[in-house]
């Protein structure tokens, strides 16, 4: 009888020990699985498609298109394909982009170098454009941006005058708290999208700009430029 | 993926362990069957896992306990209550300032009570002659963390392109409610007199969290007391010490 009791106690002890060991292993496993990375897509760009006014189902590709966000020191190039995604300013109710495109029938410009030399060294790179001497501010791909914010394309071996307009995007920014790991993501409810000079006709297809991958929000119907 | 495989294997091991360690002989005596009672007693337990986590992670504090009723060594209705606080700010790892440096001075604090109600089903062979027996079970819980408090501050918008305009999002403080469900598998065994040790794995998923909209901010919590951080996955564990009253 005493032996049976002893055996029973030993069995119980083993059970408890096994359970304790296993539980600690499981617990440590879970602690090591603590995620401290943000795995959510946090970028909410506005998707824009350029379509032909004559054939709205057809993507409209441009010879050259560059976009300059107003108030930022950035230049977005290589967006000629007719479909692109633009960041919006989350701290403002409006984002403006200078729309700079090269029309199919472009006007060429005579440009000559007007570089300033000082003691055999280049002091300042300047261009003489239509009798005006301008300092070069930035060159990106084929686009030359001058100090007075005027622009020229260097296309097919000639300097060409771009067609410019301003794309105005108005919205309400909504800051969504995603998680402790990611913080806030900003979504945008579009109010209006238009051009100052009407380079194209704008139609809002979807007014909620979220982090959905490759979602299109705005169609721009281009005339034949 | 390896994490999930690891968790799946852990769950399988737990079930195997419960069978190999606690499986009883099938030749039950007839007299034991006759001794079958409708109600055997009540387990009152305390979660040592919460205590362990609190000791390891200083930014969290949690405690919870439950009352489990034993009906015919088969059905075990369970009621849990708990309280948790969590400083989730160190979790923040997304660089939204565009500077390559993590935003400093971030606050994300949560605290609140929660309750769970559900039932366990004993899958092991029953010994009706004993009031207190080991049991291995699967179960389900409905859980609610009502009106828990949160405070979020110091986060910035991603306005790196418009560097001068980068701005702080206004601090948010308020209350919200979360509801979730849990599926669980576990074991519980007597160790000394009425005292028992138990371990269980839980798979959980949110049913609903009240989204709070304040001004141009929309707050959707990823954390709830009793649930933890949803970003850390859907699995949880409990490791309990309990006393059996009969």
């Amino acid at each position: 009888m005493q032996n049976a009791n002893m055996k029973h106690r030993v069995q119980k002890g083993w059970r408890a020990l096994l359970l304790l060991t296993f539980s600690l292993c499981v617990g440590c496993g879970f602690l090591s699985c603590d995620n401290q990375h943000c795995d959510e897509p946090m970028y909410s760009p506005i998707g824009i498609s350029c379509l032909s006014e004559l054939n709205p189902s057809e993507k409209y590709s441009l010879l050259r298109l560059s976009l300059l966000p107003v108030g930022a020191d950035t230049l977005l190039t290589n967006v000629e394909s007719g479909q692109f995604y633009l960041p919006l300013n989350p701290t403002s109710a409006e984002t403006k982009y200078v729309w700079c495109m090269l029309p199919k029938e472009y006007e060429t410009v005579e440009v000559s170098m007007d570089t300033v030399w000082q003691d055999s060294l280049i002091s300042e790179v300047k261009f003489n454009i239509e009798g005006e001497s301008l300092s070069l501010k930035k060159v990106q791909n084929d686009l030359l941006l001058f100090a007075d914010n005027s622009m020229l394309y260097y296309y097919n071996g000639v300097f060409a005058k771009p067609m410019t307009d301003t794309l105005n995007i108005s919205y309400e920014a909504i800051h969504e708290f995603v998680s402790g790991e990611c913080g806030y993501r900003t979504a945008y409810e579009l109010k209006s999208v238009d051009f100052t000079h009407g380079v194209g006709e704008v139609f809002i297809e979807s007014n909620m700009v979220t982090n959905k991958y490759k979602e299109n929000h705005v169609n721009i119907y281009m005339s034949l430029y | 993926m390896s994490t999930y495989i690891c968790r799946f294997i852990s769950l399988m091991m737990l079930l195997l362990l419960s069978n190999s360690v606690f499986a009883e002989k099938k030749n039950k005596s007839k007299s034991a069957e006759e001794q079958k009672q409708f109600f055997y007693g009540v387990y009152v337990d305390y979660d040592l896992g919460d205590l362990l986590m609190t000791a390891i992670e200083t930014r969290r504090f949690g405690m919870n306990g439950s009352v489990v009723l034993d009906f015919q060594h088969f059905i075990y209705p369970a009621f849990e209550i708990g309280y948790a606080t969590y400083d989730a700010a160190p979790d923040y790892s997304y660089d939204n300032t565009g500077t390559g440096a993590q935003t400093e001075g971030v606050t994300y604090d949560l605290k609140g009570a929660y309750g769970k109600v559900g039932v366990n089903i004993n899958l092991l062979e029953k010994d009706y002659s004993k009031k207190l027996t080991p049991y291995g079970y699967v179960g389900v819980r409905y859980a609610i963390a009502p009106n828990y408090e949160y405070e979020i501050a110091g986060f910035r918008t991603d306005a790196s392109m418009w560097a001068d305009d980068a701005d702080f999002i206004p601090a948010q403080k308020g209350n919200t409610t979360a509801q979730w469900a849990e599926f669980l598998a576990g074991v519980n065994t007597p160790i000394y007199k009425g005292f028992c040790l138990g371990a269980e794995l839980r798979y959980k998923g949110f049913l609903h969290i009240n989204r709070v909209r304040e001004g141009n901010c929309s707050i959707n919590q990823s954390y709830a007391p009793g649930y933890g951080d949803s970003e850390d996955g859907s699995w949880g564990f409990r490791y309990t010490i309990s006393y059996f009253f009969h």
Side-chain angles (χ1 to χ4, degrees):
Chain A
M1 186 67 179
Q2 224 172 12
N3 275 351
N5 267 346
M6 184 63 81
K7 199 179 167 188
H8 189 61
R9 279 185 184 178
V10 168
Q11 269 183 345
K12 274 189 172 181
W14 271 110
R15 280 177 198 167
L17 190 66
L18 269 170
L19 192 61
L20 184 72
T21 312
F22 178 74
S23 305
L24 285 174
C25 289
V26 171
C28 291
F30 273 89
L31 278 178
S32 65
C33 293
D34 189 13
N35 178 29
Q36 294 197 346
H37 303 283
C38 177
D39 301 322
E40 287 281 323
M42 298 292 285
Y43 182 45
S44 305
I46 181 170
I48 294 176
S49 290
C50 293
L51 303 166
S52 164
E53 204 172 52
L54 293 178
N55 186 4
S57 61
E58 201 176 279
K59 285 270 178 306
Y60 189 87
S61 57
L62 300 135
L63 289 181
R64 289 288 181 273
L65 176 64
S66 305
L67 296 159
L68 292 87
V70 175
D73 189 27
T74 314
L75 192 59
L76 305 173
T77 51
N78 292 332
V79 286
E80 293 84 9
S81 64
Q83 186 159 34
F84 45 88
Y85 302 89
L86 303 177
L88 298 174
N89 186 347
T91 61
S92 172
E94 187 178 49
T95 298
K96 288 174 185 263
Y97 279 91
V98 173
W99 179 280
C100 180
M101 62 181 261
L102 189 64
K104 288 201 169 69
E105 289 183 13
Y106 51 86
E107 187 188 334
T108 59
V109 181
E110 282 297 319
V111 176
S112 60
M113 294 293 279
D114 196 16
T115 305
V116 179
W117 294 82
Q118 202 169 35
D119 301 332
S120 309
L121 293 168
I122 294 173
S123 169
E124 195 177 0
V125 178
K126 282 194 155 187
F127 288 83
N128 193 322
I129 304 162
E130 292 173 334
E132 205 177 338
S133 184
L134 295 171
S135 298
L136 188 65
K137 191 175 166 186
K138 200 177 210 174
V139 182
Q140 196 162 325
N141 293 355
D142 298 339
L143 186 73
L144 290 86
L145 180 64
F146 296 98
D148 68 343
N149 285 330
S150 61
M151 289 168 277
L152 279 184
Y153 276 111
Y154 184 73
Y155 184 74
N156 275 352
V158 293
F159 288 95
K161 234 180 189 171
M163 181 183 269
T164 57
D165 202 338
T166 306
L167 179 66
N168 309 297
I169 307 165
S170 300
Y171 48 81
E172 185 190 353
I174 301 155
H175 307 300
E176 294 174 337
F177 187 76
V178 178
S179 67
E181 283 76 5
C182 303
Y184 283 90
R185 172 176 58 216
T186 307
Y188 306 89
E189 190 178 344
L190 294 176
K191 301 291 177 199
S192 69
V193 183
D194 56 38
F195 281 105
T196 304
H197 300 297
V199 77
E201 201 176 320
V202 181
F203 176 74
I204 297 176
E205 197 180 51
S206 166
N207 72 335
M208 276 311 296
V209 179
T210 62
N211 63 333
K212 266 186 199 164
Y213 183 64
K214 286 197 169 180
E215 192 178 30
N216 189 63
H217 305 99
V218 170
N219 287 339
I220 298 174
Y221 297 97
M222 307 293 294
S223 306
L224 285 179
Y225 291 110
Chain B
M1 178 56 87
S2 60
T3 305
Y4 288 104
I5 292 168
C6 153
R7 287 171 181 176
F8 181 73
I9 291 168
S10 301
L11 181 65
M12 289 299 107
M13 276 177 66
L14 183 66
L15 291 172
L16 284 173
L17 186 74
S18 65
N19 272 322
S20 60
V21 177
F22 307 120
E24 295 181 27
K25 289 173 187 173
K26 288 185 178 177
N27 54 347
K28 286 277 164 197
S29 65
K30 204 175 177 181
S31 59
E33 186 70 31
E34 283 165 0
Q35 289 168 10
K36 188 174 178 179
Q37 293 177 24
F38 177 69
F39 180 67
Y40 280 93
V42 180
Y43 293 89
V44 176
D45 73 34
Y46 181 76
D47 183 7
L48 296 172
D50 241 356
L51 200 67
L52 181 75
M53 296 284 276
T54 302
I56 294 169
E57 278 192 274
T58 50
R59 62 200 178 98
R60 85 189 288 286
F61 168 78
M63 54 183 197
N64 80 80
S66 71
V67 173
V68 181
L69 311 176
D70 181 349
F71 288 103
Q72 299 185 337
H73 287 337
F74 178 59
I75 292 181
Y76 296 74
F79 307 91
E80 289 178 43
I81 52 164
Y83 179 82
T85 66
Y86 191 57
D87 171 14
D91 286 349
Y92 185 56
S93 59
Y94 182 75
D95 166 32
N96 72 355
T97 60
T99 59
Q102 191 172 310
T103 308
E104 287 180 1
V106 163
T107 302
Y108 183 25
D109 289 332
L110 301 116
K111 59 180 170 187
Y114 58 91
K116 300 178 188 180
V117 60
V119 68
N120 299 337
I121 304 291
N122 183 12
L123 300 178
L124 295 186
E125 202 67 33
K126 287 114 193 134
D127 183 353
Y128 299 113
S129 62
K130 290 179 183 170
K131 281 194 177 287
L132 179 58
T133 62
Y135 71 105
Y137 55 93
V138 291
V140 65
R141 297 282 186 279
Y142 162 78
I144 183 166
N147 224 28
Y148 65 93
E149 290 175 37
Y150 65 84
E151 186 177 355
I152 303 166
F155 287 88
R156 281 201 281 182
T157 54
D158 182 4
S160 48
M161 244 172 96
W162 296 267
D164 294 335
D165 288 330
D167 208 1
F168 284 99
I169 295 169
Q172 301 291 318
K173 196 174 179 179
N175 299 75
T176 190
T177 296
Q179 295 172 67
W180 68 97
E182 295 179 353
F183 296 96
L184 50 101
V187 287
N188 191 62
T189 184
I191 48 165
Y192 179 71
K193 295 194 173 171
F195 286 98
C196 306
L197 275 181
E200 65 189 30
L201 276 178
R202 296 183 168 215
Y203 183 81
K204 60 205 173 179
F206 276 120
L207 298 171
H208 180 70
I209 300 184
N210 287 351
R211 183 184 281 265
V212 180
R213 179 85 192 252
E214 210 173 290
N216 65 340
C217 289
S218 173
I219 308 296
N220 191 30
Q221 300 292 343
S222 62
Y223 183 94
Y227 184 99
D229 188 354
S230 63
E231 293 283 321
D232 290 346
S234 301
W235 293 90
F237 76 101
R238 261 185 115 229
Y239 174 49
T240 59
I241 185 155
S242 59
Y243 189 79
F244 183 69
F245 295 94
H246 55 89

